[in-house]
Amino acid sequence: MPTNNLHPVQYLAYTLVSIALLLWLMNIGAFILVPLVWGVFFAFALYPISKWLESKRFPRSFAIAISILFVTIIGAAIIYILTNQMISLLSDIPEMNTLLHEKINRYRSELESTFGINNYFNKEEWQSIQWLDSGTLNQTIFNTGKSITLIGIIPLYIFLLLYYRDFFVAFLLKVSSERNEAILKWVADAGRVIHAYLIGMVKVTLFIALLSGLYFYFFGIKYYLLFALFIGILNLIPYIGVAISSLLVIFYVFLTSDTLLAPVLTLAVLWGIQLIENNLITPLVVGAKVKVNVLAVVLAVLVGGAVWGISGMVLFIPFVGILKITFDSIPKLQPYGYLLGDDFPKPKNGQSFIRHLKNKWLKK
């Protein structure tokens, strides 16, 4: 049935059903699609390196292999550091449990003596709680290992996508022979969004990891490399990742320090780093290349997490950027592209509070 003859309610219903079906299929096929999409993203990111090597007379296959090997070595080094320090951290769990019970008992005794509350807490029940369960953490490590194993297929996808890139471009041109320029522009814009987002977030991740690592090192935190990389990597998940990583690090500092000043200071430093990153580094590095508003980013993180887990939280953000480009290139869908963007209209009446105060002060 032609869409022009559909009632708006029917058209909306068909659209919502199609979106729900697409998300369901993406969830069912996550085992195949997640590595493939990561491969597409990294292929866009590595394309400039491969193209530069090819311009130096390297064979295409050799240039692609060098590009992948370069990234693989860096990734393997990061995984080795994380795995090595996580194993050491797991071995410290019994001691950390003991420290946690001691701190809880001490603060419980102080509360009872301060407020005159006696036998309010059942000491035996309180001490019997296993706050840090090594079994749960071991299961988490096992699931992480499964994800790392799945990562092994990504280099193959990257190689094939880069090697057959001309083939895919020719396919797109054959499919849309009447709109070649529009298709090529869409591919170029989508590649620009993916490349800008990945390269920008890698720079931001390195910045966060470096500043956090320096603080942890000079503060004397034992697993400073693990926590620095942990905070930097989880920073890829906007808003949620920062909160989770900071809380875990602050909790560890609370357990291993003798004063409450240490976790409070750690909270202040991590909060300061995040302020600098959110308001200075990310706008300068990523800039307006991924032009989506905060509401769209939050929804992308939540939907991506529900569909593909942690990978979805990271990948769905540039997905929204590509979706906006697609909407902007189709006249009928341009209002939806505007809805996803960050080009807010200026108020016709009134002005910002700071500008109002500035003008009022200048008049004096």
Side-chain angles (χ1 to χ4, degrees):
M1 179 185 293
T3 56
N4 293 335
N5 297 330
L6 290 177
H7 190 275
V9 176
Q10 290 179 305
Y11 185 77
L12 177 61
Y14 287 146
T15 302
L16 293 177
V17 170
S18 300
I19 293 173
L21 180 61
L22 176 62
L23 293 177
W24 179 76
L25 291 174
M26 291 174 70
N27 180 261
I28 295 299
F31 183 82
I32 298 173
L33 292 177
V34 171
L36 177 60
V37 174
W38 274 116
V40 172
F41 275 43
F42 280 114
F44 274 108
L46 294 179
Y47 171 69
I49 301 175
S50 175
K51 185 179 179 181
W52 180 80
L53 290 174
E54 290 178 34
S55 67
K56 301 300 180 181
R57 305 299 179 88
F58 282 88
R60 173 171 291 188
S61 58
F62 191 54
I64 297 171
I66 292 176
S67 305
I68 295 174
L69 181 63
F70 173 72
V71 175
T72 302
I73 291 174
I74 296 176
I78 294 174
I79 291 174
Y80 173 78
I81 294 172
L82 288 174
T83 304
N84 192 31
Q85 294 220 328
M86 284 178 73
I87 292 173
S88 300
L89 181 61
L90 286 174
S91 64
D92 289 346
I93 287 180
E95 181 183 353
M96 293 170 62
N97 264 312
T98 303
L99 289 173
L100 182 58
H101 283 298
E102 290 177 355
K103 285 182 176 291
I104 290 175
N105 288 329
R106 187 178 69 187
Y107 291 130
R108 178 185 59 82
S109 300
E110 291 179 358
L111 286 173
E112 289 180 351
S113 61
T114 302
F115 296 100
I117 303 174
N118 295 321
N119 299 322
Y120 184 78
F121 298 99
N122 191 325
K123 185 176 181 180
E124 294 181 357
E125 287 185 6
W126 196 265
Q127 289 182 339
S128 64
I129 299 176
Q130 189 71 8
W131 296 94
L132 298 173
D133 186 5
S134 58
T136 303
L137 289 176
N138 286 331
Q139 183 64 31
T140 303
I141 300 300
F142 175 73
N143 291 332
T144 304
K146 288 172 60 179
S147 301
I148 293 173
T149 303
L150 192 61
I151 289 173
I153 199 174
I154 294 178
L156 177 62
Y157 283 136
I158 298 172
F159 182 89
L160 295 176
L161 290 168
L162 286 174
Y163 190 81
Y164 290 111
R165 61 179 183 265
D166 296 333
F167 172 77
F168 294 123
V169 172
F171 166 75
L172 290 174
L173 293 178
K174 288 180 179 295
V175 169
S176 57
S177 57
E178 298 179 357
R179 299 185 59 201
N180 289 348
E181 293 184 2
I183 289 295
L184 290 177
K185 183 178 184 302
W186 179 86
V187 172
D189 290 341
R192 175 183 55 80
V193 169
I194 295 173
H195 185 270
Y197 178 77
L198 286 179
I199 299 300
M201 292 312 298
V202 166
K203 292 179 181 179
V204 172
T205 299
L206 291 176
F207 171 81
I208 295 292
L210 178 62
L211 286 188
S212 304
L214 287 174
Y215 168 74
F216 296 150
Y217 175 77
F218 288 110
F219 199 73
I221 296 177
K222 184 177 179 180
Y223 302 105
Y224 65 93
L225 280 177
L226 174 64
F227 291 133
L229 291 173
F230 181 64
I231 287 178
I233 292 172
L234 282 191
N235 184 69
L236 293 172
I237 306 173
Y239 315 114
I240 301 173
V242 172
I244 294 174
S245 58
S246 298
L247 286 175
L248 290 176
V249 175
I250 292 167
F251 180 67
Y252 177 82
V253 174
F254 167 75
L255 288 181
T256 56
S257 60
D258 297 328
T259 174
L260 287 176
L261 178 62
V264 172
L265 180 61
T266 302
L267 172 63
V269 170
L270 293 179
W271 181 65
I273 292 174
Q274 291 302 321
L275 280 181
I276 297 173
E277 182 265 326
N278 289 329
N279 297 287
L280 182 62
I281 303 302
T282 296
L284 289 176
V285 174
V286 181
K289 296 174 183 177
V290 184
K291 298 180 180 180
V292 293
N293 58 62
V294 177
L295 177 60
V297 171
V298 172
L299 290 176
V301 170
L302 295 177
V303 174
V307 176
W308 282 350
I310 295 178
S311 292
M313 291 181 177
V314 178
L315 293 174
F316 271 55
I317 299 173
F319 273 0
V320 174
I322 296 172
L323 190 63
K324 182 184 183 302
I325 292 173
T326 305
F327 286 163
D328 290 340
S329 62
I330 302 174
K332 291 184 179 180
L333 299 179
Q334 286 178 356
Y336 300 100
Y338 174 80
L339 185 64
L340 294 175
D342 61 352
D343 186 16
F344 298 105
K346 296 181 179 179
K348 296 180 180 179
N349 298 321
Q351 55 187 346
S352 67
F353 180 70
I354 296 177
R355 187 183 295 273
H356 173 73
L357 290 179
K358 182 179 178 180
N359 292 339
K360 189 174 182 180
W361 178 262
L362 291 175
K363 287 181 181 179
K364 292 182 178 180

